[in-house]
Amino acid sequence: MANSGKIGVSTKDLFPIIKKFLYSDHDIFLREIVSNAVDATQKLKVLASTGEFKGETGSLKVTVKADKEAGTLTVSDNGIGMTEEEVEKYINQIAFSGAEEFLEQHKDDAATIIGHFGLGFYSSFMVSDSVDIITKSYKEGAQAVKWSCKGETEYTIEPAERSERGTDIVMHISEDEKEFLEDTKIKALLDKYCKFLPVEIVYGKKQEWK
């Protein structure tokens, strides 16, 4: 059964702010989403090294996949994943106090705004009409969940099917942002932002950024 709720922000203007103030640098969304995925793999590495995770880590990687027909861009990892409680904590509760003043001061610097508020994930809404998170925690017996949001403060969260641990971020790309489904554009962004990350970034059949 799906649950629904409202994202915990102190202003209803979160999404208009993202669209308005971050628009000039909106190609950084891919850097932010891939970086989050890389972080998830690195956290699993740490848990394995301390003995907290006793399973096989396998080959840790991040995969980027565009589906023009479906209009989606998906970033997947096989890192720690999240439980429903963790999704509620890390995705739905945004530290956004003092937002308006800070945004006014830094409205020309998208990277500063995103970093200050921990809005890395929400940068996906700069190019998306809606975003889904399908995730399964590394924790034993964890149930996979799907979180969905259409760029408003309402969201839904429900049980999902995912056999392996990790997270898929599925971005339903807006009509006027379809360039982000083009191979040349994605490759250029990965080459610009993701060349020197500590895990393998895979895009397409043969393209790899290490």
Side-chain angles (χ1 to χ4, degrees):
M1 183 178 162
N3 294 322
S4 61
K6 290 202 172 187
I7 294 163
V9 292
S10 58
T11 171
K12 65 182 180 182
D13 298 326
L14 170 65
F15 292 104
I17 284 167
I18 288 172
K19 297 275 187 185
K20 180 181 176 184
F21 287 104
L22 310 189
Y23 192 78
S24 59
D25 285 330
H26 62 331
D27 66 354
I28 63 174
F29 83 93
L30 190 58
R31 179 194 71 191
E32 296 295 323
I33 300 300
V34 170
S35 293
N36 286 351
V38 169
D39 287 347
T41 66
Q42 298 308 288
K43 285 173 182 172
L44 189 73
K45 250 188 191 176
V46 171
L47 292 175
S49 70
T50 60
E52 195 171 329
F53 173 64
K54 295 180 169 54
E56 292 294 323
T57 59
S59 175
L60 295 171
K61 63 184 178 182
V62 174
T63 304
V64 180
K65 182 182 178 185
D67 185 334
K68 281 189 183 179
E69 200 174 318
T72 58
L73 182 63
T74 301
V75 176
S76 303
D77 69 71
N78 56 349
I80 58 171
M82 289 181 283
T83 62
E84 182 172 347
E85 291 72 26
E86 287 167 338
V87 171
E88 293 277 6
K89 180 178 178 181
Y90 297 120
I91 301 297
N92 296 335
Q93 300 299 322
I94 304 169
F96 218 61
S97 57
E100 279 100 355
E101 184 183 348
F102 185 87
L103 287 164
E104 189 56 39
Q105 288 175 354
H106 299 279
K107 61 186 177 185
D108 297 322
D109 187 352
T112 298
I113 294 169
I114 285 174
H116 185 82
F117 291 112
L119 288 177
F121 163 70
Y122 281 95
S123 66
S124 59
F125 284 97
M126 290 191 286
V127 298
S128 307
D129 288 331
S130 63
V131 179
D132 302 321
I133 302 172
I134 301 159
T135 185
K136 184 177 183 181
S137 172
Y138 73 93
K139 294 172 183 174
E140 195 174 339
Q143 163 69 52
V145 295
K146 178 182 180 181
W147 176 96
S148 301
C149 181
K150 293 182 176 179
E152 299 167 347
T153 54
E154 288 82 13
Y155 67 88
T156 61
I157 188 165
E158 60 190 320
E161 291 297 319
R162 184 185 168 98
S163 56
E164 305 295 328
R165 64 160 200 268
T167 301
D168 299 328
I169 305 293
V170 185
M171 293 164 275
H172 299 264
I173 303 299
S174 307
E175 195 58 44
D176 56 354
E177 304 290 352
K178 294 297 187 186
E179 64 177 313
F180 292 107
L181 296 173
E182 298 294 335
D183 280 353
T184 50
K185 182 70 172 178
I186 296 166
K187 288 173 185 174
L189 291 179
L190 290 173
D191 195 48
K192 180 179 180 181
Y193 293 124
C194 306
K195 242 180 177 175
F196 304 108
L197 293 171
V199 297
E200 182 179 34
I201 312 295
V202 180
Y203 174 69
K205 290 180 181 175
K206 295 181 180 176
Q207 294 293 332
E208 295 181 1
W209 283 259
K210 297 185 179 179

